C-alpha cells in the first residue's frame, strides 16, 4: 500500500478487542502501527499485520474475512525491518563454538538468546578449523531449530575450514588444516562425519579436487563459500561455475586486489560467472577488519549489490550502522545486507529476510539511527530495549 492506502487503512482502525469474523482463523491479529516498513526495497509508511507468526495481507483480512486487529502496537515512528540473519557467528559472549565442551548446547543457547538484543533472529553457528574429533562431536549437537523467546533460530552450521590455505589461515590452527586431494568429497565427508546440520562450507578453491567437492556440496543444497584462500581469479571463477555462491569476509584472508590478477576480489566484477548466478559476499563491517574505502569499493563495484554483513566481534546492528555510514548507501541497502541478501544466499527468502505476505514475522524495530528498539520472532515479542521496556503500549 502506498501513502494513499495507508491513510485509508487509518480509517479502519477500531477499538481494541473488536469481535472479528472467525471463519478463517481464530488466531489473534496484531497490527503494528505508526511505522515505516522495509518492503520492495523501500521504506514505506504502512502498517504491518501479523497472524499465526506470519505476515498477513490486510486486504484479505478486511475484505475476505471482514476481520480486524485484536492487538495494536504503536511503533512510534520506528522502522520495521525483517529480523537480521547472520551467516557467520563463531561464538561470543565468552563462548567459542569450536571448543566443544559438555555444555556446548548451553553455549549456543546463551549466544542465541543474547543475539536477540542485536536484532538477529536467525543465524549460522560457525566452527573454525578444528580437529576431526571436534567435528564429530559438535556437528550432530547443533541442530537446526526455530527461534523464539529463548533465542534466535539456528539455520544450520557454517563450517569455515579445515580445507583452507595455510598461507591465509588467519586465526585457524595450522596443525588441523586438511586437503581433499586423495579422495575428494570423501575426505571432506569423513572429516566432518556428518553434513546433516551443515548449511555453509567455506573452503579454498585452489586446493586439488575442489571442483568435484564444490559440485557435490552444491548438489546437496549446501552453500559453498570461498575464503582463507590464495586463489587467483580464474580459480575463483571455476569454483563459481561449479556451484560456489559466496565469498567469506571479502578482503580478509585472501590475496589483495592486484590489477594483473585480482584474485577472489575480482569476482565482484567478473564477467566469467554463469548468467543469472549471484555471487554473494560477506563483509566484516566493524570499522576494524575492513577499511571504509574498501567497503565503498565493494558496494559500488557489485552491480547486484548482493553483500551480506557479518558480525565477527562486533554485533550485527553495529555492522549495519557502520556499513550504512561508511558505504554511504541508503538505509534500505544497509538493512537488506543483513536481511534479504543472507536469506537469498541461503535460499530461504520465501520464508525470511523480507516482509512479504506469508513470510515469517521475524521483525526488528529500529530508530532513525538504526538502533535496535525491539525484536520479534514469529510475531512474538522477544526483546525490547530497556528505555522502552516499561513504556505502556496500546496492547
Ligand atoms: Zn575466517
Amino acid at each position: 500500500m502506498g501513502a494513499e492506502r495507508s491513510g485509508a487503512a487509518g480509517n479502519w482502525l477500531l477499538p481494541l478487542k473488536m469481535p472479528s469474523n472467525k471463519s478463517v482463523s481464530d488466531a489473534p491479529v496484531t497490527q503494528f502501527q505508526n511505522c515505516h516498513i522495509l518492503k520492495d526495497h523501500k521504506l514505506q509508511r504502512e502498517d504491518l499485520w501479523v497472524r499465526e507468526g506470519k505476515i498477513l495481507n490486510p486486504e484479505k483480512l478486511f475484505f475476505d474475512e471482514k476481520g480486524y486487529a485484536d492487538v495494536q502496537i504503536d511503533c512510534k515512528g520506528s522502522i520495521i525491518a525483517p529480523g537480521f540473519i547472520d551467516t557467520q557467528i563463531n561464538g561470543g559472549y565468552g563462548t567459542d563454538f569450536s571448543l566443544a565442551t559438555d555444555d556446548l548446547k548451553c553455549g549456543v543457547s546463551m549466544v542465541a538468546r543474547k543475539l536477540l538484543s542485536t536484532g538477529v533472529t536467525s543465524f549460522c553457528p560457525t566452527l573454525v578449523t578444528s580437529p576431526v574429533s571436534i567435528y564429530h562431536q559438535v556437528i550432530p549437537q547443533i541442530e537446526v531449530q526455530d527461534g523464539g523467546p529463548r533465542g534466535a533460530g539456528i539455520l544450520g552450521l557454517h563450517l569455515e575450514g579445515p580445507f583452507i590455505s595455510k598461507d591465509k589461515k588467519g586465526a585457524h590452527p595450522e596443525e588441523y588444516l586438511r586437503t581433499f586431494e586423495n579422495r575428494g568429497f570423501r575426505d571432506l565427508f569423513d572429516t566432518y562425519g556428518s553434513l546433516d546440520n551443515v548449511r555453509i562450507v567455506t573452503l579454498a578453491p585452489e586446493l586439488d579436487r575442489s571442483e568435484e567437492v564444490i559440485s557435490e556440496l552444491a548438489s546437496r543444497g549446501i552453500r559453498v563459500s570461498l575464503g582463507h584462500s590464495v586463489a587467483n581469479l580464474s580459480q575463483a571463477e571455476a569454483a563459481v561455475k561449479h556451484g560456489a555462491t559466496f565469498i567469506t569476509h571479502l578482503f580478509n584472508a585472501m590475496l589483495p586486489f592486484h590489477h594483473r590478477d585480482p584474485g577472489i576480489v575480482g569476482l565482484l566484477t567478473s564477467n566469467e560467472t554463469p548468467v543469472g548466478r549471484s555471487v554473494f559476499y560477506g563483509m566484516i563491517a566493524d570499522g576494524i577488519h575492513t577499511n571504509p574505502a574498501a567497503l565503498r569499493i565493494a558496494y559500488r563495484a557489485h552491480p547486484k549489490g548482493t553483500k551480506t554483513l557479518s558480525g565477527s566481534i562486533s554485533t550485527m546492528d553495529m555492522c549495519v550502522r557502520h556499513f550504512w555510514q561508511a558505504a554511504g548507501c541508503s538505509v534500505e541497502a544497509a538493512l537488506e545486507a543483513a536481511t534479504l541478501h543472507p536469506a537469498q544466499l541461503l535460499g530461504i527468502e520465501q520464508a525470511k529476510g523480507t516482509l512479504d505476505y506469508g513470510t515469517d514475522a521475524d521483525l526488528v524495530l529500529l530508530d532513525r539511527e538504526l538502533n535496535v528498539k525491539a525484536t520479534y520472532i514469529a510475531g512474538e515479542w522477544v526483546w525490547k530495549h530497556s528505555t522502552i521496556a516499561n513504556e505502556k503500549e496500546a496492547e
Side-chain angles (χ1 to χ4, degrees):
M1 286 186 286
E4 218 175 306
R5 295 303 304 276
S6 60
N11 295 331
W12 288 323
L13 298 184
L14 288 158
L16 302 182
K17 309 294 179 196
M18 282 294 292
S20 56
N21 184 322
K22 302 293 185 188
S23 64
V24 175
S25 171
D26 281 335
V29 173
T30 303
Q31 177 187 13
F32 294 80
Q33 300 171 292
N34 189 13
C35 48
H36 297 80
I37 73 173
L38 180 62
K39 200 166 176 195
D40 299 329
H41 317 292
K42 277 279 155 213
L43 285 178
Q44 316 207 26
R45 192 79 162 87
E46 191 176 314
D47 293 352
L48 188 78
W49 302 73
V50 173
R51 180 168 64 192
E52 292 180 315
K54 308 280 184 195
I55 293 169
L56 182 66
N57 181 346
E59 295 191 8
K60 187 174 176 302
L61 178 72
F62 302 148
F63 299 118
D64 298 349
E65 305 178 25
K66 307 282 188 277
Y68 305 100
D70 298 283
V71 177
Q72 293 173 317
I73 297 174
D74 180 0
C75 300
K76 299 186 163 67
S78 297
I79 292 168
I80 302 185
F84 297 154
I85 299 168
D86 198 329
T87 58
Q88 183 172 2
I89 293 184
N90 295 87
Y93 310 100
T95 291
D96 182 341
F97 299 147
S98 302
L99 303 174
T101 59
D102 293 339
D103 61 356
L104 173 72
K105 272 190 156 172
C106 285
V108 173
S109 299
M110 184 268 288
V111 169
R113 190 173 67 249
K114 298 269 191 187
L115 287 173
L116 298 176
S117 69
T118 69
V120 172
T121 53
S122 50
F123 71 111
C124 295
T126 303
L127 303 184
V128 299
T129 295
S130 303
V132 170
S133 61
I134 294 289
Y135 289 121
H136 288 227
Q137 193 182 339
V138 170
I139 291 174
Q141 284 190 59
I142 303 186
E143 293 175 341
V144 173
Q145 62 182 58
D146 291 337
R150 283 180 300 171
I154 295 173
L155 298 168
L157 284 161
H158 178 169
L159 302 178
E160 194 188 2
F163 305 100
I164 57 173
S165 164
K166 66 180 184 341
D167 296 319
K168 290 291 176 186
K169 63 186 187 305
H172 292 235
E174 183 167 348
E175 63 267 38
Y176 302 131
L177 299 185
R178 300 174 76 86
T179 65
F180 27 62
E181 64 193 4
N182 294 322
R183 294 157 64 231
F185 182 75
R186 200 69 226 172
D187 283 325
L188 176 138
F189 191 88
D190 290 348
T191 298
Y192 295 147
S194 167
L195 291 169
D196 286 349
N197 298 323
V198 177
R199 201 76 187 229
I200 305 172
V201 171
T202 291
L203 54 79
E206 69 273 23
L207 297 180
D208 275 356
R209 299 183 70 166
S210 72
E211 293 177 359
E212 63 181 89
V213 170
I214 292 168
S215 296
E216 181 63 31
L217 287 169
S219 75
R220 291 167 181 244
I222 294 170
R223 300 303 189 249
V224 177
S225 188
L226 310 180
H228 288 276
S229 161
V230 293
N232 59 36
L233 179 56
S234 60
Q235 288 168 325
E237 287 167 340
V240 171
K241 284 174 186 157
H242 283 82
T245 55
F246 194 36
I247 305 171
T248 295
H249 46 61
L250 184 75
F251 299 122
N252 295 108
M254 58 188 61
L255 292 179
F257 181 89
H258 188 282
H259 60 284
R260 288 184 197 275
D261 191 327
I264 289 176
V265 177
L267 283 178
L268 291 183
T269 51
S270 170
N271 51 16
E272 287 295 319
T273 56
V275 175
R277 171 83 56 78
S278 295
V279 178
F280 296 82
Y281 55 98
M283 289 194 293
I284 309 176
D286 60 358
I288 299 162
H289 285 80
T290 314
N291 185 281
L295 288 182
R296 285 191 287 275
I297 287 171
Y299 176 68
R300 291 175 192 171
H302 203 279
K304 297 200 187 88
T306 44
K307 64 253 150 252
T308 72
L309 300 177
S310 184
S312 181
I313 49 171
S314 300
T315 60
M316 188 59 133
D317 57 320
M318 290 163 66
C319 287
V320 170
R321 287 191 295 274
H322 180 74
F323 179 64
W324 173 43
Q325 285 153 12
C329 63
S330 65
V331 170
E332 289 92 338
L335 291 172
E336 287 192 338
T339 57
L340 177 64
H341 299 154
Q344 289 172 328
L345 162 68
L346 296 171
I348 57 172
E349 70 272 24
Q350 302 303 320
K352 295 186 187 298
T354 78
L355 299 180
D356 292 348
Y357 301 141
T359 61
D360 296 344
D362 295 353
L363 314 172
V364 53
L365 272 62
L366 305 138
D367 66 19
R368 288 277 146 184
E369 281 71 51
L370 302 185
N371 298 299
V372 178
K373 294 169 72 175
T375 308
Y376 290 75
I377 292 181
E380 191 178 355
W381 164 71
V382 293
W383 184 84
K384 196 168 289 187
H385 193 273
S386 59
T387 59
I388 58 168
N390 296 321
E391 278 183 27
K392 202 167 159 46
E393 285 185 338
E395 291 185 43

